Amino acid sequence: MTLLYIVLATLAGGLLSVLIAASLTVSLLGRVVKHLVSLSTGILLGTALLQVLPEAFDGRASPQSLFMTLLGGLMFFFLLEKAELYRHTHHHEGDGHHHHHHFDVEQAGKGGTSVLVGDSIHNFCDGIIIAAAFLTDPYLGLVTSLAIIAHEIPQEVGDYIVLLNAGFSRSKALLFNALSGLAAVIGGVVGYFLVGPWESLFPYLLVAASSSFIYVAVADLIPQLQRRLPWRETVLQLAWLGGGLGLVVMVVAVSSHGGHGH
C-alpha cells in the first residue's frame, strides 16, 4: 500500500502541472506562476523547518551528523545547479521580471535539452525524497508530497513556457513535460526498494529532503521575489507567501492534535 501511495504522490505533481499548462493561455500562465512562486516559497520553507526537520531530529541520529547532512545537501544541490542539472525555471517573457526580450529563448538553449535533463534529475530526486518520507510515516509522506507538488506546478509550467520559446510545439512541450515527470515515479519506486531496508538512514534522508526545500526556496524562489514592486503587488506577494506558511502551520497543528507527532 505504501508503494501505491508513493506512485500516486509522484504522479500528482507532473499531471497537475501538465493539466494546468494545457488548459491556460501563456499570458494567463504568467500571472498564475507569479503567485504560485510566492505560495510555494512559504510551503517549502514551512515544511522543511516546521515539519520535516523536527521529525528527523526526533530520532536517534546525533544532531551534529544531521547538521553535517544538511550542509552537505545544500552544497550538493548548489553544485548540481552549477552544472545546470538542477534547474528551477519560473522565468518567462511577460511575467513582470525585468530581463531582456527573448530571455527564455536564450535560457532554453538548443532545443531546451538542458531544461529537460535538469527537470528529470530534479524530479528523480523528488521521488526518492517522497519515498523516504512515506516510509518514515504516511502522514509525513503526504505533507512532503504536498510541498513538492506546490513547487513542481510553477516549475513545470515555467519549463513548459521555456520549451515553447525554444521552438517546441504546444503538444510536444506538454508531452516532454509529462515524460520528465515520470522521473519522479522512477525515483519513488527506486527509493522504496533501496531505502526501505535501511530504516536507520531515514533521518538523514529527511534532512536531505529539507536541504532541497531550503535550497530551492532561498537560492531560487526568494531572489525572484526580491524585486521592487508597487505596494499593492508587494502586499499580494506577502499574502501568498504567508498563505503557504499558514497552510503548513495548520497541517502541523492538525497532525500534532491528531497524534501524528512523534
Side-chain angles (χ1 to χ4, degrees):
M1 200 64 175
T2 301
L3 179 59
L4 177 61
Y5 291 150
I6 292 170
V7 171
L8 291 176
T10 50
L11 273 174
L15 287 177
L16 283 174
S17 62
V18 170
L19 289 174
I20 290 173
S23 60
L24 302 178
T25 63
V26 173
S27 60
L28 186 56
L29 284 174
R31 295 195 291 273
V32 170
V33 170
K34 181 170 61 177
H35 299 313
L36 288 179
V37 167
S38 299
L39 179 70
S40 63
T41 300
I43 291 177
L44 286 175
L45 286 176
T47 301
L49 300 175
L50 301 178
Q51 187 79 25
V52 181
L53 279 178
E55 179 75 27
F57 278 85
D58 201 32
R60 297 180 180 179
S62 71
Q64 184 178 13
S65 62
L66 292 178
F67 275 116
M68 286 291 292
T69 303
L70 180 62
L71 176 60
L74 292 172
M75 294 304 299
F76 173 72
F77 291 115
F78 167 73
L79 292 173
L80 273 186
E81 191 165 39
K82 267 291 192 192
E84 296 190 352
L85 295 177
Y86 198 69
R87 296 172 58 105
H88 315 289
T89 306
H90 305 100
H91 307 283
H92 48 88
E93 291 170 10
D95 64 357
H97 291 266
H98 299 293
H99 46 61
H100 59 274
H101 193 54
H102 296 315
F103 173 83
D104 284 323
V105 177
E106 297 172 11
Q107 286 289 296
K110 295 181 179 180
T113 303
S114 62
V115 172
L116 294 171
V117 172
D119 198 25
S120 298
I121 292 174
H122 187 163
N123 289 337
F124 182 82
C125 294
D126 285 344
I128 294 177
I129 288 169
I130 288 173
F134 269 108
L135 288 167
T136 301
D137 178 74
Y139 196 81
L140 182 66
L142 176 61
V143 173
T144 303
S145 299
L146 290 176
I148 288 176
I149 290 170
H151 173 55
E152 279 299 307
I153 291 175
Q155 177 194 315
E156 297 289 350
V157 171
D159 286 343
Y160 166 72
I161 295 173
V162 170
L163 290 176
L164 289 180
N165 282 312
F168 284 67
S169 66
R170 188 178 177 91
S171 58
K172 191 175 180 181
L174 289 171
L175 174 62
F176 276 99
N177 242 17
L179 290 175
S180 71
L182 292 178
V185 181
I186 296 171
V189 174
V190 169
Y192 175 80
F193 286 107
L194 292 186
V195 174
W198 304 92
E199 190 172 346
S200 61
L201 294 178
F202 288 177
Y204 299 97
L205 290 170
L206 293 180
V207 171
S210 295
S211 70
S212 169
F213 294 171
I214 294 170
Y215 182 82
V216 169
V218 173
D220 178 66
L221 301 184
I222 289 179
Q224 293 184 52
L225 303 179
Q226 291 286 24
R227 296 180 292 118
R228 290 187 178 276
L229 296 171
W231 71 268
R232 291 178 185 275
E233 290 188 38
T234 300
V235 170
L236 190 61
Q237 185 184 80
L238 291 174
W240 279 94
L241 195 153
L245 286 171
L247 283 173
V248 176
V249 170
M250 184 174 63
V251 168
V252 170
V254 170
S255 65
S256 300
H257 185 267
H260 293 281
H262 298 290

